Amino acid sequence: MAGFPIQIATRIKTLPPYLFAAIDKMKQAAIAKGVDIINLGIGDPDLPTPASIIDSLAKAAQDAKHHQYPSYEGMLCFRKAVADWYKRRFNVTLDPANEVLTLIGSKEGIGHIHLAFVDPGDVVLVPSPGYPVYPVGTSFSGGVSHIMPLTKANGFLPDLEAIPKGVAQKAKLMWLNSPNNPTSVIMSKDYFKRVVEFAQEHQVIVCHDAAYSEIYYDGKRPASFLEVEGAKDVGIEFHSLSKTYNMTGWRLGFAVGNKDVLAGLGKVKSNLDSGVFEAVQKAGVTALGLPDSVTDGIRKIYQERRDTLVPGLKQLGLEVDAPLAAFYIWVRVPKGYTSTSFTAHLLEKTGIVTTPGNGFGAPGEGYIRMTVCTSKERLVEAVERIKRAGF
Ligand SMILES: *Cc1c(COP(=O)(O)O)cnc(C)c1O
């Protein structure tokens, strides 16, 4: 029987072009040629999940009571572990009953929340360069992104004063991300205070993505948005076990804060998914209860790598600031290059994979992103190769 032309929905047709496609192609070609690739493109920990977390999963998976559908809002024991962790880490008090929601990784909640609050034509304030899920989630719900450019001139922080009054008035949601992917910049408590004032004045729901709060350097711990007075009245914070405990494949995250906002997200979720495997949540309870020495060990490894790569790049004459958090190095491209051409140059001449900054949004043009999710030895080798090849 004859078929019919398959028509893709407008929301998919109008997705922004995938700017990494050309680089992916070049990478595949280099691998096919047998080039020894150093991959500084991935934002995914190369270290294993701590053994006690894996043991918890294995034990819980043996127990038949965990084999059935979990509750959509998450197990109470996991939500309690989140509340205890927030108290210990940020001195923020959360009610596990209605101020914590389990997510299938934070990306799931970040993508879905627009469906709860954004009607067609509504404005969402989106930082750029940034995590692509913010603008894509916005457009999937029919909303319109208003870009808040992150530039060197504004310290890579959204300039709240630069948002036109009319836009602010129409905005339903505002996305923030500290520590930031891809710039690694951290927001201070003072900055968060100004965000709360802005949100109250314009009645905007703040969604803060804190996926990297535990990847920090020099012992300087980034703040939670919820540490600031009034934050819980205006917004929520997204969190993840992915980066903190090397658990990206496990799919476990959570959202905390304003209970009405969480109820909206919960409503969407109860209609779309059926929660996280209980054995994974039990492993999450173990993770959140681990002593700081475990995460200190992980941070020490990233810090050694940062302290290898950043001075190495500086010595080569590249313009780069040492990040205070997250595992990203935001490198200004040298004169005569664009984000894409410098990424291509490094791949062709040195076999090093990086990510062009414009792939995170137009204001990222002029930068490339490197990650420290690769061993110190390979980072030393990367600097050597760039030195030999020049630019
Ligand atoms: C990695 C990352 C996340 C977290 O993803 P999970 O779905 O929790 O694995 C969220 N936001 C940003 C900016 C990220 O880079």
Side-chain angles (χ1 to χ4, degrees):
M1 235 183 3
F4 51 88
I6 305 292
Q7 290 292 340
I8 286 169
T10 310
R11 74 176 66 81
I12 301 295
K13 275 191 204 145
T14 54
L15 279 172
Y18 183 63
L19 286 172
F20 305 131
I23 296 297
D24 281 351
K25 230 180 178 167
M26 287 175 69
K27 185 173 108 189
Q28 290 316 322
I31 291 169
K33 271 196 301 188
V35 175
D36 173 29
I37 292 282
I38 299 179
N39 195 345
L40 307 185
I42 37 161
D44 189 347
D46 57 319
L47 306 166
T49 306
S52 59
I53 302 175
I54 301 170
D55 291 344
S56 267
L57 170 75
K59 204 168 136 231
Q62 297 287 347
D63 189 338
K65 78 168 185 273
H66 296 314
H67 296 174
Q68 292 180 292
Y69 283 123
S71 62
Y72 84 88
E73 78 273 25
M75 296 169 86
L76 187 60
C77 66
F78 178 72
R79 289 180 285 135
K80 272 190 174 140
V82 168
D84 289 347
W85 183 77
Y86 252 76
K87 186 74 200 167
R88 211 170 72 230
R89 168 67 173 87
F90 299 113
N91 198 25
V92 168
T93 305
L94 297 169
D95 184 348
N98 54 18
E99 293 179 334
V100 182
L101 184 64
T102 305
L103 299 173
I104 313 169
S106 59
K107 184 179 187 178
E108 179 261 305
I110 291 168
H112 282 150
I113 191 155
H114 307 87
L115 293 175
F117 299 103
V118 179
D119 279 320
D122 282 348
V123 171
V124 176
L125 303 170
V126 171
S128 179
Y131 196 47
V133 188
Y134 317 139
V136 169
T138 299
S139 76
F140 277 4
S141 65
V144 180
S145 293
H146 175 83
I147 296 302
M148 303 185 289
L150 309 180
T151 63
K152 179 117 185 151
N154 58 34
F156 299 103
L157 295 171
D159 182 352
L160 303 176
E161 253 106 77
I163 300 166
K165 271 260 158 7
V167 172
Q169 234 42 58
K170 269 179 37 193
K172 290 293 291 285
L173 289 184
M174 169 190 252
W175 281 105
L176 297 176
N177 173 214
S178 164
N180 189 265
N181 175 10
T183 69
S184 282
V185 163
I186 299 179
M187 289 170 181
S188 67
K189 266 201 242 184
D190 270 342
Y191 185 84
F192 284 145
K193 274 182 199 158
R194 280 186 275 140
V195 170
V196 170
E197 281 165 23
F198 177 91
Q200 278 166 341
E201 183 183 344
H202 301 291
Q203 306 195 352
V204 179
I205 298 167
V206 176
C207 292
H208 178 232
D209 179 356
Y212 294 97
S213 76
E214 303 317 298
I215 312 295
Y216 54 82
Y217 303 107
D218 307 314
K220 290 198 192 106
R221 310 202 295 181
S224 159
F225 175 63
L226 298 179
E227 284 179 57
V228 168
E229 206 185 315
K232 219 194 263 180
D233 299 329
V234 299
I236 65 171
E237 188 155 81
F238 287 90
H239 235 294
S240 174
L241 280 76
S242 288
K243 314 293 161 57
T244 310
Y245 304 104
N246 308 323
M247 290 175 72
T248 48
W250 295 58
R251 312 315 303 134
L252 183 59
F254 51 91
V256 295
N258 186 281
K259 66 176 174 19
D260 298 325
V261 177
L262 293 177
L265 176 56
K267 194 106 194 168
V268 174
K269 284 179 59 59
S270 64
N271 281 283
L272 286 180
D273 70 61
S274 300
V276 173
F277 182 26
E278 289 193 347
V280 169
Q281 294 188 65
K282 293 288 280 224
V285 172
T286 301
L288 291 168
L290 286 174
D292 287 348
S293 56
V294 175
T295 42
D296 282 344
I298 295 170
R299 280 185 284 270
K300 190 163 161 259
I301 293 170
Y302 288 131
Q303 175 138 357
E304 273 174 18
R305 293 172 177 182
R306 179 198 72 162
D307 294 344
T308 300
L309 184 57
V310 172
L313 296 174
K314 277 189 176 165
Q315 246 165 27
L316 300 179
L318 287 167
E319 191 185 320
V320 53
D321 293 320
L324 302 176
F327 40 57
Y328 300 113
I329 317 284
W330 193 233
V331 185
R332 185 105 188 103
V333 303
K335 262 207 176 60
Y337 287 96
T338 62
S339 294
T340 308
S341 70
F342 194 52
T343 305
H345 172 79
L346 290 177
L347 188 53
E348 276 169 0
K349 300 288 192 276
T350 70
I352 298 169
V353 176
T354 59
T355 310
N358 59 331
F360 301 98
E365 176 53 50
Y367 290 85
I368 61 165
R369 192 192 75 173
M370 293 183 179
T371 72
V372 290
C373 299
T374 308
S375 75
K376 191 172 149 183
E377 291 67 35
R378 295 296 274 172
L379 296 175
V380 170
E381 162 82 14
V383 172
E384 270 308 308
R385 286 191 195 178
I386 301 173
K387 189 173 177 182
R388 275 201 304 269
F391 47 78

